[in-house]
Amino acid sequence: MFDAVQGEKKPSVSKVPSLIKRWRSRNKSAENGLVPASGSIPAAAAHNESVAEESPASATAAPRAAPETCTSGTLAADGQEPHCHGTPGRRLTILSLDGGGVRGLIPAVCLEFLEQQLQAFDGADARIADYFDVVAGTSTGGLIATMLTAPDVNKRPLLTATQAKQFYLDKAATIFSTPGIFSSVTSLLGSKYSASPMKKILADTLKDLKVTDSVTDLLITTFDTKTQQPVFFDKQVAQRVPRFNATLQDLCLATTAAPTFFPAHQFDVPDPDQGEGKTHQYNLIDGGVTANNPAEVAILHAVKDLCIGDSPHRGRIPEFKGYRDLLVLSLGTGSSIVSYDAKEVASWGSLSWILNDGQQPIIQMLQNSSAYLVDLDIAIRFQIDEVEENYLRLQTSGIVGDMASVDGSSKKNMQNLVDLSNKLLDEKAKFAKWLSEEKKARAELPASVEEAAQLPRDNATPLPSIATTFV
C-alpha cells in the first residue's frame, strides 16, 4: 500500500488568497476558448461567478487565469507565445478522461483534433498514446483510454482517435438499445440495459488483451461492491501484482457498469501470490462512484511509481521536483446543471432522489461535486507552484436537453454532441506543440539515472505532501 508522496517542503498556503485575488482581477479581461476550460483556481471560481449569466446553450469554455507574463490564447508581454514549465524531456505527461456515457463523444472529438495536430508536427503515424506516460479513464473515459492504448499485432495503438470517435457514432445505439415502454419501471427493478451488446463488441475488438499489454501506462477506475473500496487498475501495478492484470474486456465492462444503467461485473483474475491455481475475484461497478474525474488519481499513481515504484521514467527523471515536472490534460464530458429548489428537495423520499422527472438527482450531484472538487484541487496545486499552464482542463457547460443524457444515442443527439465539441477546439493547438516538443526532447536524454542527474534543469519547488491509500 502507498501511504504518501512526500515533498521536501510544502509551499505556504498563505499564497492561496492572493492567487485567487490575482486571478479574479485578470478574469475581467481573460478570453474564452479551448486553452483552457479551467486549469487553475479559476475553473471552479469562474463557474461560480458566471453561471447565472451564462447562456444555457453556450459551449464556450470558462475563462482561465493568465500567468504572470502571458495570457492564454494571446501573446505574452515580450511578444512570445505562452509556454509550459519544466525541463523538456523531463516531465511526466498525463491524459485524464471523465465518465459520462455517450457524452464520451465530447473528449473523443477533442482527442481527434489533438491527434491531427500531433500528426501535423510529427507525421501521420503519431498516436495519442505516443505522447502520454499515463492515460487514465473513468467509465466512458475508461473505454476511450483502453481503445487508445490497446496494442495491435505490431505493438502500436490499436485505434486512432478518429476511430475511437467513430466507435461512439457507430456503436452507441447498439450499446444503449432502445428501452421498452416501461423502461422507467424496469430500471427500478433491474438494470436499464443489458451488457450483452457491449460484451460482444469488446470481445471482437479487444480479444484476450490484458492491462500489461497496453502500449503506455493505462489506468482504469472502478469500485468493488463487496469490499466497498475503489479499485484502480494500471499497467505499472499489474506488472508487479498479478491480480491487477485483468483483461481489457473485463475492465471496460466494470468501469462502465453505471448503477441503474448496466449490471455490476464479476470476474476472476489469476493470483499466484495466493498460491498455485488461486484467483482473485472482483465485484465491480462504474468508476464514477470513485472518481468521475480521474485526473488526481492518475497524478498520484504516476508520482508514486516514479518516486517509490518501478517507473520506466526513472532514468530521465532521477529527481522529481514538483508540478512543473507534470504536463496534464484533463477532458470532461460536459457539465449538466439541473437546479432544484430546497423546498422541492425537502419533500423528496428515497425514490425521488434516485429517479425524478427522468433525472437521477443523487447520482448527478455526487458526480458533479466530485469532478468539480478534483479540478479545483489540482488547479490550486499547480497555481501555488506558479505553473498553471502545465494543467489544462477542457470542459463545457453547454449540456442541455437530450445532450445531458448519458444514454441519448439518437443520430441527432450524437451530431449535437459533435457540434458542441467542435466549439471547444482552438486552432493554435499549443498543448499539441508542447507534447511534440516533450517527445522530441526525450530522444536527446541519456538513458541512465546517473547521466541524467548531471543535466541542468529548471528550478522547481518540491511537490506538496499528498496522501492517499492505494496499491
Side-chain angles (χ1 to χ4, degrees), residues 368-409:
N368 283 338
S369 62
S370 172
Y372 177 94
L373 287 174
V374 168
D375 182 28
L376 177 64
D377 180 73
I378 297 175
I380 289 177
R381 293 178 186 275
F382 276 82
Q383 194 163 15
I384 287 175
D385 235 11
E386 298 183 349
V387 293
E388 54 263 44
E389 293 78 23
N390 285 31
Y391 169 56
L392 173 58
R393 168 76 171 168
L394 289 185
Q395 179 71 301
T396 175
S397 57
I399 300 294
V400 295
D402 290 342
M403 287 193 294
S405 170
V406 300
D407 59 346
S409 57

Side-chain angles (χ1 to χ4, degrees), residues 135-189:
V135 179
T138 289
S139 195
T140 194
L143 188 59
I144 298 173
T146 301
M147 288 189 288
L148 296 180
T149 61
D152 63 15
V153 294
N154 298 314
K155 306 300 182 183
R156 292 289 294 147
L158 182 64
L159 300 179
T160 65
T162 296
Q163 290 172 320
K165 181 196 79 171
Q166 198 61 40
F167 175 91
Y168 281 83
L169 297 175
D170 294 341
K171 305 297 185 182
T174 300
I175 294 171
F176 295 99
S177 300
T178 305
I181 190 172
F182 300 112
S183 60
S184 295
V185 176
T186 56
S187 66
L188 294 177
L189 303 177

Side-chain angles (χ1 to χ4, degrees), residues 270-345:
D271 189 8
D273 290 342
Q274 299 301 317
E276 185 177 355
K278 297 292 185 179
T279 62
H280 184 91
Q281 185 180 89
Y282 292 102
N283 299 269
L284 305 178
I285 59 174
D286 195 308
V289 174
T290 298
N292 204 52
N293 176 351
E296 190 155 39
V297 174
I299 290 173
L300 290 171
H301 266 278
V303 173
K304 176 209 60 170
D305 283 327
L306 182 67
C307 296
I308 62 176
D310 299 320
S311 173
H313 308 291
R314 184 78 58 80
R316 64 182 181 85
I317 314 176
E319 185 180 5
F320 185 75
K321 291 293 186 179
Y323 294 102
R324 68 179 58 239
D325 283 349
L326 298 175
L327 194 54
V328 180
L329 174 60
S330 175
L331 301 181
T333 58
S335 174
S336 175
I337 306 300
V338 180
S339 300
Y340 301 98
D341 186 275
K343 292 182 179 178
E344 174 192 1
V345 174

Side-chain angles (χ1 to χ4, degrees), residues 23 25-33 62-66 71-72 74:
W23 172 78
S25 67
R26 291 179 185 146
N27 185 42
K28 296 178 181 179
S29 61
E31 65 178 17
N32 296 335
R64 172 183 184 255
T71 300
S72 297
T74 66

